[in-house]
Amino acid sequence: MTFQADTGAVLDRARRYERQGRAEEAAAAYANAAEALEARGDLASAAAARARYARALAAAGRTGEAQRVLDVLDRGAASMPAGVRAGLDAQAAHVLAAAGRTGEAARRAWAAMSGFGALRDPKRAGAAGAHAARLILKDAGPRGALRPLRELLAQMPPGGEAHRQVAGLLADAERRPDRDHDVLVTDPGSAVWGRLAAALAVGAHLAVGNGVAWNRLADRESARDDRVLLERDWGVTDSEGWREQVDALLDARNSDPAIQMVLDRRGRGTGRRAWQDAIVAWCGERDISEQTVREVLDLSEAVLRYEARFRADGLLPPDGRVESVYGYDFGRAVNMARWGLNAGYCDAEEAEKRVLTAGHRAHQVYASWQEFSAGYVLGRMLRFDEGEFGEWYERSLTGHRVLAEDPGSPWRRMAWG
């Protein structure tokens, strides 16, 4: 029992280091756990720990060592239980991707999805499937990814978050081989100044990402695409469902409330330790479970990592930080209004009213376009990026830079508020 408890504690520490981005320390802890498990004769658990060790090595930039560990594990894979083989495939996908072997990485992630699916583990199967989709796009590009993405999606059970993510990536790839994206488009026939234009600019992140005019609300040509988008990504098929979703966005109820709770516990000038103590105290007053407390503390660490990267990339000033992620909901509310109008779920007057509300609430929460953008991007990253600083991050950073730097950007032409 003592041995099991000690090994479990080492694995818990390794996972914590991994979540905190401390890859070298995670690798050392996983190696220690694997050695202890091998000494005990628990070879299946040892192999699983070795696979995590390889991924941590790759995350630390030691890809050569990681691949050698992976090669040894692969040679013994046939004798491993199905769950360990699926886990090995999942970790191998990360190792191979870090080594630049993206096509192989995509195949291993796909194999992990199939393995976890056979084991009736939908959460890990979905995560592996979404990872496979991202790797396929990176390896083949939008045009070359169409067929494998369709085949991948066909093997995923519908309805889950991972299925929606892959469906969105496929839809994006289907549109983008022959169209521009991540560019600023301004409709010369629509307003570029004034209250409505300023509110529409709150939705400009998505407009730039999709290559559509940030200042155009109605677009008859996109009616069918917007109906498909609303049903596929939001489950919206009628006016009532659309109103429920847009109201949730306007009330900032679509994102995880734990994020804002964590941000609200950090006062001006508060350091990391005092901030986390305040989070623990808040949870203690409400009898929050220990597991949930650990999760929200991990969330605070994720915020710190993103903020550090934001400062390095110019999303935040050198001493800046994010006070609210409500901007992510407000920005999507603007686009939800656009989609609802084009899909026929509301009229122009109602769509404009929702856009103006989104703009007004964003201006109440933030003090500048830069603050708003950082809040929007952090909300998006905590939902989709999973600490990878991958395509979700790169696309969002590109959108921010376009809007912050292009002379024709509404963010350059209109003062905040």
Side-chain angles (χ1 to χ4, degrees):
M1 178 64 75
T2 302
F3 181 91
Q4 290 176 328
D6 290 346
T7 306
V10 174
L11 287 170
D12 285 342
R13 186 163 62 251
R15 287 188 283 267
R16 186 170 64 254
Y17 287 149
E18 204 168 34
R19 290 192 297 268
Q20 294 172 350
R22 298 158 67 180
E24 289 283 2
E25 292 161 284
Y30 279 125
N32 289 338
E35 291 173 2
L37 289 164
E38 287 163 352
R40 184 185 172 206
D42 188 350
L43 300 184
S45 298
R50 288 283 178 197
R52 297 301 295 257
Y53 169 55
R55 177 175 173 178
L57 285 174
R62 296 159 62 183
T63 54
E65 294 175 68
Q67 290 179 89
R68 288 191 288 274
V69 173
L70 184 62
D71 288 342
V72 172
L73 291 170
D74 281 341
R75 286 196 290 271
S79 62
M80 297 178 188
V84 176
R85 290 199 303 272
L88 173 58
D89 284 327
Q91 305 310 323
H94 290 278
V95 172
L96 293 168
R101 297 161 62 182
T102 315
E104 295 173 72
R107 288 190 286 275
R108 295 299 290 267
W110 195 322
M113 180 193 75
S114 300
F116 287 131
L119 293 167
R120 301 183 186 280
D121 187 340
K123 183 176 181 180
R124 288 198 287 179
H131 190 207
R134 294 192 294 271
L135 290 167
I136 289 168
L137 273 167
K138 184 175 182 180
D139 182 60
R143 188 182 298 278
L146 292 177
R147 182 174 178 180
L149 283 178
R150 291 183 185 122
E151 293 175 356
L152 178 72
L153 190 65
Q155 295 185 22
M156 300 180 73
E161 179 62 29
H163 185 276
R164 286 192 289 274
Q165 287 184 30
V166 175
L169 292 172
L170 173 58
D172 202 33
E174 287 173 333
R175 290 193 301 268
R176 286 184 174 162
D178 301 307
R179 67 176 286 182
D180 290 330
H181 63 280
D182 292 337
V183 294
L184 179 69
V185 179
T186 302
D187 180 6
S190 300
V192 295
W193 301 96
R195 185 165 165 248
L196 179 60
L200 285 166
V202 168
H205 257 292
L206 269 178
V208 166
N210 292 329
V212 301
W214 66 269
N215 63 328
R216 184 172 59 222
L217 195 52
D219 184 355
R220 292 182 180 179
E221 293 182 2
S222 69
R224 182 182 179 278
D225 288 344
D226 288 346
R227 277 183 174 268
V228 170
L229 180 152
L230 286 170
E231 182 173 3
R232 182 192 68 220
D233 296 346
W234 297 84
V236 170
T237 57
D238 56 25
S239 297
E240 182 180 355
W242 173 80
R243 290 189 181 94
E244 289 178 0
Q245 292 291 353
V246 76
D247 286 345
L249 290 167
L250 289 171
D251 292 339
R253 289 186 283 110
N254 186 274
S255 297
D256 183 356
I259 302 172
Q260 194 58 46
M261 180 279 290
V262 166
L263 293 176
D264 287 344
R265 306 282 75 76
R266 179 170 59 172
R268 281 288 174 189
T270 302
R272 173 178 173 272
R273 176 60 63 85
W275 181 25
Q276 295 189 341
D277 287 346
I279 293 170
V280 172
W282 187 92
C283 292
E285 292 169 0
R286 289 156 181 81
D287 197 26
I288 305 296
S289 70
E290 291 185 6
Q291 175 63 31
T292 301
V293 173
R294 287 194 294 271
E295 290 173 359
V296 293
L297 289 175
D298 288 343
L299 184 56
S300 71
E301 294 287 351
V303 169
L304 291 171
R305 290 197 299 276
Y306 276 113
E307 287 178 330
R309 182 66 175 268
F310 286 8
R311 295 185 197 102
D313 290 336
L315 264 163
L316 281 173
D319 60 347
R321 65 186 196 183
V322 178
E323 302 291 347
S324 173
V325 291
Y326 288 164
Y328 182 48
D329 278 4
F330 299 150
R332 288 184 295 162
V334 170
N335 290 275
M336 180 64 75
R338 175 182 290 121
W339 300 328
L341 174 61
N342 294 330
Y345 297 146
C346 68
D347 58 23
E349 182 180 358
E350 184 172 6
E352 287 187 13
K353 180 181 178 181
R354 303 306 175 103
V355 170
L356 290 169
T357 300
H360 175 68
R361 293 183 180 177
H363 294 148
Q364 287 182 311
V365 172
Y366 300 97
S368 67
W369 287 112
Q370 184 175 45
E371 284 188 15
F372 163 75
S373 186
Y376 177 94
V377 174
L378 180 61
R380 195 180 196 205
M381 294 308 98
L382 292 175
R383 184 156 189 159
F384 293 115
D385 185 60
E386 299 178 349
E388 293 183 2
F389 296 99
E391 184 183 3
W392 286 103
Y393 181 73
E394 293 300 327
R395 293 284 304 278
S396 297
L397 178 61
T398 296
H400 168 83
R401 287 175 172 167
V402 167
L403 289 162
E405 299 170 8
D406 192 308
S409 166
W411 293 10
R412 296 286 299 274
R413 295 166 65 89
M414 287 186 286
W416 178 256

